[in-house]
Amino acid sequence: MDFRPTEEQAAAVGLAAQIFRDLATHERLAAAGTGTDAELWKALAGSGLIAAVEDVGLLGLVLLLEEQGRTTAQVPFAATCTYGLLAVAAHGSAEQRARLLPALAAGEAVATGAFPARGRFTADAHGRLTGTAQAVPWLRDATHVLVPSADRQLWLVRTDASGAETAPQETTAPWSAGRLVLDGAEAERLGGGGASDAGGDGDAYAAVLASARTAFAGLQAGVCAGSLARAVAHTGEREQFGRPLSTNQAVMLRAADAYMDTEAIRVTAYEAAWRIDQGLPAHEHAVTAAWWASEAGKRVVHAGQHLHGGMGADLDHPVHRHFLWGRQLDAYLGCGSELLAELGAVLAREV
């Protein structure tokens, strides 16, 4: 396997880093509250970074999401790309791709997903969905929601469709989340079950879930890297008893553990993304990446907050935002114990 970014991926990452660094400042994030930074979203779309995801693949998206995570930029980048752009490109019909992809690539349409399935939604014979998801990320911004039914068929629901209701829902991280209630809502089957979805509905659902877990693990790697960078800067400048905090052995060891955890999240996300891009089996690799993002991620953001001392408990301090994102990503798409049980079941079947 080769994780080295291609020339195209490296150029996209460099551009993303510049945009996030320039626009996702602490002042702008504080002003945005729990909402999306519309100007930043327009800048990403205008630069072609959203459209570029089709070309740079899932590994490229993971690299881009790392840059978002470093700044905790409040835009629905991961959700739109995984549940919209990549899902439609891989599993949509030719008509759906022609109709939906241009708007998604231009940032004019925003997608999210009510994942994982957990049997919350059912579809009748006419393709109308009923069910509830309590907290769907970026739902307040979304024009489309990818909804898996209890039998793991994939359905696209417009948020303004008849029978669909949304309401704001606050979560740990400021992700413009919402509660989705479908009552016989009009929906369209992704791919329609035709040749473009030849692998079957369960395979399409599993593929989207694996991509989402991998992408959000990449986002967590960035969140952790950003938290650790802030902790290193703080402990290098803050003095106690006449010397920087960073010279204390306990501080160095805590930071070193956080660094190793961050690297573990990063490399497992890279491996899962690379395998998916290569068309190789990657279920257990995506679960492994998600497990590291959950278990190690919460350790890192706790360490980042702890190493800031009393400042880390300040709700207005930038590192606290990393803490909130890290805890939200810990729970999203499965917490550590749930993922470990799933991974164990997969490995048991292979023995």
Side-chain angles (χ1 to χ4, degrees):
M1 63 189 71
D2 186 357
F3 299 155
R4 288 175 297 181
T6 64
E7 185 176 338
E8 189 175 29
Q9 289 171 339
V13 169
L15 179 58
Q18 179 182 344
I19 292 174
F20 287 129
R21 184 173 58 250
D22 291 347
L23 294 181
T25 62
H26 174 60
E27 292 74 22
R28 289 176 60 87
L29 289 168
T34 62
T36 293
D37 188 331
E39 183 180 343
L40 176 54
W41 185 243
K42 289 180 181 178
L44 289 173
S47 68
L49 281 174
I50 302 174
V53 170
E54 276 195 89
D55 299 319
V56 300
L58 184 58
L59 180 55
L61 176 59
V62 166
L63 295 169
L64 294 172
L65 291 174
E66 274 193 80
E67 299 305 322
Q68 179 187 359
R70 291 178 197 275
T71 59
T72 61
Q74 288 178 205
V75 285
F77 197 22
T80 289
C81 290
T82 53
Y83 300 126
L85 204 67
L86 294 181
V88 172
H91 307 291
S93 65
E95 186 277 331
Q96 286 172 328
R97 292 195 296 270
R99 172 166 48 89
L100 297 169
L101 288 179
L104 288 166
E108 298 166 359
V110 174
T112 187
F115 273 65
R118 295 194 174 117
R120 294 178 296 189
F121 295 94
T122 57
D124 64 19
H126 304 287
R128 296 180 181 275
L129 297 183
T130 298
T132 301
Q134 294 296 337
V136 179
W138 307 106
L139 182 63
R140 283 178 257 172
D141 302 315
T143 56
H144 297 77
V145 186
L146 187 63
V147 178
S149 55
D151 56 0
R152 297 194 171 187
Q153 293 181 7
L154 297 179
W155 302 84
L156 273 174
V157 180
R158 289 190 59 90
T159 53
D160 60 359
S162 174
E165 294 185 6
T166 64
Q169 188 81 297
E170 298 303 328
T171 59
T172 300
W175 285 1
S176 294
R179 182 172 184 262
L180 177 67
V181 179
L182 303 181
D183 185 8
E186 299 175 353
E188 62 174 309
R189 173 96 165 272
L190 187 65
S196 64
D197 195 21
D201 296 305
D203 288 348
Y205 166 79
V208 172
L209 180 57
S211 294
R213 282 172 164 168
T214 303
F216 280 93
L219 185 61
Q220 180 76 302
V223 169
C224 291
S227 174
L228 183 57
R230 291 187 181 279
V232 168
H234 173 76
T235 56
E237 297 169 357
R238 184 82 168 180
E239 291 191 357
Q240 190 176 58
F241 305 117
R243 63 178 187 174
L245 286 172
S246 59
T247 61
N248 293 326
Q249 188 178 44
V251 172
M252 288 190 284
L253 290 175
R254 190 81 193 273
D257 286 342
Y259 173 79
M260 294 303 296
D261 274 337
T262 301
E263 288 301 296
I265 299 169
R266 177 180 288 118
V267 74
T268 52
Y270 285 5
E271 181 180 11
W274 180 85
R275 292 184 67 89
I276 290 171
D277 283 343
Q278 297 299 314
L280 298 171
H283 179 190
E284 59 264 44
H285 301 83
V287 176
T288 299
W291 181 83
W292 274 103
S294 173
E295 288 293 296
K298 64 187 175 188
R299 287 198 297 265
V300 174
V301 296
H302 273 269
Q305 190 179 45
H306 185 199
L307 290 172
H308 276 77
M311 291 183 182
D314 183 353
L315 301 183
D316 296 323
H317 195 282
V319 79
H320 192 75
R321 188 177 293 108
H322 289 269
F323 174 77
L324 296 178
W325 277 61
R327 290 312 309 251
Q328 186 68 40
L329 284 162
D330 160 38
Y332 186 58
L333 296 179
C335 64
S337 57
E338 180 182 4
L339 292 163
L340 197 60
E342 182 179 343
L343 181 59
V346 172
L347 296 177
R349 287 196 298 269
E350 293 178 353
V351 173

